[in-house]
Amino acid sequence: MSERETEKHECLNTALRTLHECFSITMPQMLDIAEKFHEAMLAGLTGRKGPLKMLPSFLSIPTGEESGMFLAVDFGGTNVRVSLIKLLGHGKIRVSKKNSVLLKDPGGSYDYTSSDVTGRELFCFLAAQIAGLVGSGAAVPLGLTFSFPTEMHALDKAVLIGWTKEFKTRMTEGRDINLLLHEALQRHGLHGVKPVAVINDTVGTLLTAAYGDPHADVGSICGTGHNTCYLEPLPPGRHGPMVINIESGNFDGLPVNDFDRELDLQSEKPGGQILEKMVSGRYLGELMRLVVLDLAHQGCLFQRKGGDMPGFLCQTNTFSAEHMSLILSDKTAGFAGTAAWLKGSAGIEAALPELAALHTIASLLTTRSARLVAATWAGVLRHLDPLLKNQHTIAVDGSLYEKMTGFAWRLREAMDEILQDRAGQVTLKSTRDGSGMGAAIAAASEII
Ligand code: GLC
């Protein structure tokens, strides 16, 4: 090894040790976060100021006997999915027709998340997808999963408080979402499609799991965004239990570092959604880019003698959570998959220590994400059942949980660490497509 290479190698090792400290979440930190999260839940529930909105859903959990045919529209962070769903009772659900379309065309021909588009146009696009699936003569109740914070005035009246996940669509914040949908359906001649329920995706996930599992009382999304809901046994001012959308992505009592601060500053809404920016798929790739760029600036990664900084490191959003997953799943001795991706997308011939460093960074960020989410779930459980006397199922949906290499087991591991000998009381249940199916259950449910 040349002197320069040895120097670079040492620089990289030192930098990785620092990053380790920067991104580790220790067990005492997890317990502290759980406690603070619980305090913030109590504050939100009783109308005190704090980061957690604790939004009512006007729903309890289903009996499992709700039945009938429903149209479910799942408006998430990346796609809109429209499906025709038959609830069969006895906890059984059948999806008979399904269609999914991206909200932003990768080819650049449309982008319904951008400020070039209005809410009216966005809902017109949704109505067109519905017409494409069921045709104009359909007569069916519709449930909408709307994966953003909404103030619920009734099950069918949800006002968008503010966009999250970098959405910028104009003339939508402060509007009644169900009314926008209703008007778009009318414009498309879909007079028989009746929008009767709007729910959050976390609520949908919980409803779907609870349709067949009596222990399900927490629902969470680990995907483009992150959020959790739970069944509150004693909502203030109400007589019975109600599912509460915590909007936990906005939690902020967290150990942030310089990379988090930088990411927050360059985001659409600085100061908001701090937890979400540390854990969710929309932001993890960009966080990784900022870390790698910093190492490159320090001269210990991807800086070639006399060469410029690689272009792909200097542009925002060139790394994605999918890339991180690819890096983490690369089990070949020479990280051949990672090397091929770097060569193909950035023209970089990476050396083995550089590839190994990328693997370490992706692993640090994914582990931190899982441990932060687990700590907030522990906060919810502390509220529901401090001694964990009963069984609980946490229903989880979202691309990060389903697809990010190693994320699900890191979450389970962190939960085991926090809950120790009571960990067996808590089941994490992958509830695939639960967010959408839950809209059908909501449409079939009694309003409370
Ligand atoms: C964002 C939204 C929240 C949603 C979550 C997951 O945090 O504000 O409502 O549940 O993303 O999609």
Side-chain angles (χ1 to χ4, degrees):
M1 215 187 270
S2 70
E3 201 176 308
R4 187 181 146 75
E5 274 170 3
T6 316
E7 214 174 87
K8 209 169 144 188
H9 201 66
E10 272 167 21
C11 159
L12 187 54
N13 283 340
T14 314
L16 288 177
R17 272 197 297 276
T18 310
L19 284 177
H20 212 278
E21 278 162 32
C22 228
F23 283 99
S24 291
I25 302 289
T26 62
M27 169 74 164
Q29 280 176 315
M30 285 200 287
L31 293 176
D32 184 51
I33 292 166
E35 197 182 315
K36 287 195 183 130
F37 192 82
H38 183 203
E39 279 164 16
M41 284 174 71
L42 293 175
L45 274 178
T46 51
R48 279 179 284 137
K49 229 176 124 52
L52 300 181
K53 295 189 180 67
M54 306 297 283
L55 303 167
S57 69
F58 291 97
L59 289 166
S60 183
I61 47 176
T63 59
E65 293 313 320
E66 294 77 3
S67 59
M69 186 69 103
F70 300 90
L71 193 60
V73 179
D74 187 357
F75 179 82
T78 310
N79 304 291
V80 48
R81 299 191 183 96
V82 185
S83 28
L84 209 49
I85 290 177
K86 190 160 192 188
L87 301 178
L88 303 163
H90 313 292
K92 297 215 161 29
I93 303 175
R94 188 189 302 142
V95 180
S96 43
K97 260 182 171 185
K98 196 168 151 179
N99 214 344
S100 174
V101 55
L102 287 168
L103 286 164
K104 180 177 175 176
D105 173 32
S109 72
Y110 66 84
D111 181 0
Y112 286 97
T113 72
S114 86
S115 56
D116 296 341
V117 172
T118 63
R120 188 183 150 105
E121 287 163 334
L122 166 64
F123 279 89
C124 207
F125 176 69
L126 256 64
Q129 308 312 314
I130 296 168
L133 191 82
V134 294
S136 57
V140 61
L142 179 156
L144 169 67
T145 302
F146 189 72
S147 309
F148 296 90
T150 58
E151 195 74 63
M152 303 296 296
H153 297 278
L155 187 58
D156 62 353
K157 192 169 169 55
V159 173
L160 174 61
I161 299 172
W163 286 122
T164 51
K165 298 179 278 199
E166 309 300 302
F167 269 58
K168 305 181 199 59
T169 317
R170 276 183 300 119
M171 294 164 75
T172 326
E173 291 182 332
R175 306 277 168 115
D176 177 348
I177 293 307
N178 212 40
L179 188 61
L180 281 172
L181 176 63
H182 173 77
E183 288 168 355
L185 290 169
Q186 295 304 311
R187 283 199 299 277
H188 276 76
L190 292 158
H191 304 294
V193 177
K194 302 278 177 241
V196 295
V198 182
I199 55 167
N200 186 255
D201 50 355
T202 55
V203 178
T205 302
L206 173 54
L207 296 184
T208 303
Y211 193 63
D213 174 354
H215 299 302
D217 53 3
V218 180
S220 194
I221 298 287
C222 297
T224 307
H226 168 65
N227 184 16
T228 299
C229 74
Y230 74 105
L231 183 67
E232 169 57 50
L234 295 168
R238 306 227 148 240
H239 300 299
M242 187 189 272
V243 177
I244 301 284
N245 166 17
I246 302 176
E247 281 297 322
S248 55
N250 197 44
F251 186 62
D252 59 5
L254 298 165
V256 290
N257 59 39
D258 288 347
F259 301 107
D260 297 312
R261 284 187 201 99
E262 196 174 341
L263 180 107
D264 180 45
L265 277 179
Q266 76 185 29
S267 72
E268 189 58 25
K269 292 189 174 158
Q273 300 295 106
I274 297 298
L275 173 66
E276 183 160 80
K277 286 171 186 162
M278 295 169 86
V279 304
S280 81
R282 175 65 180 79
Y283 300 98
L284 276 179
E286 179 62 4
L287 209 49
M288 169 121 182
R289 183 190 71 88
L290 292 175
V291 172
V292 175
L293 179 65
D294 183 58
L295 294 195
H297 278 310
Q298 289 181 44
C300 38
L301 206 66
F302 301 143
Q303 268 287 45
R304 303 289 180 255
K305 207 172 174 189
D308 291 335
M309 186 68 74
F312 92 121
L313 281 184
C314 303
Q315 286 161 26
T316 54
N317 298 316
T318 41
F319 271 65
S320 68
E322 282 88 353
H323 294 137
M324 290 171 69
S325 187
L326 180 122
I327 292 170
L328 287 173
S329 65
D330 191 355
K331 298 278 182 280
T332 56
F335 295 110
T338 312
W341 165 64
L342 270 177
K343 179 94 182 84
S345 59
I348 293 179
E349 300 266 10
L352 191 56
E354 294 177 318
L355 296 168
L358 288 187
H359 193 273
T360 305
I361 297 164
S363 171
L364 282 174
L365 294 185
T366 309
T367 305
R368 183 180 75 156
S369 164
R371 289 172 82 80
L372 290 175
V373 169
T376 65
W377 288 353
V380 178
L381 291 167
R382 195 177 276 219
H383 177 71
L384 284 175
D385 181 6
L387 301 176
L388 286 179
K389 288 192 177 149
N390 302 309
Q391 289 276 327
H392 300 269
T393 298
I394 303 180
V396 198
D397 193 11
S399 50
L400 206 62
Y401 190 73
E402 296 293 340
K403 297 189 195 144
M404 176 71 133
T405 312
F407 182 76
W409 70 252
R410 281 172 166 93
L411 251 177
R412 180 71 252 183
E413 208 172 67
M415 288 302 280
D416 291 349
E417 202 176 318
I418 305 176
L419 305 177
Q420 302 203 348
D421 59 341
R422 308 306 285 163
Q425 295 290 77
V426 180
T427 305
L428 306 188
K429 187 179 207 156
S430 161
T431 309
R432 209 174 183 157
D433 296 338
S435 56
M437 284 192 266
I441 301 172
S445 293
E446 266 183 49
I447 303 168
I448 56 168

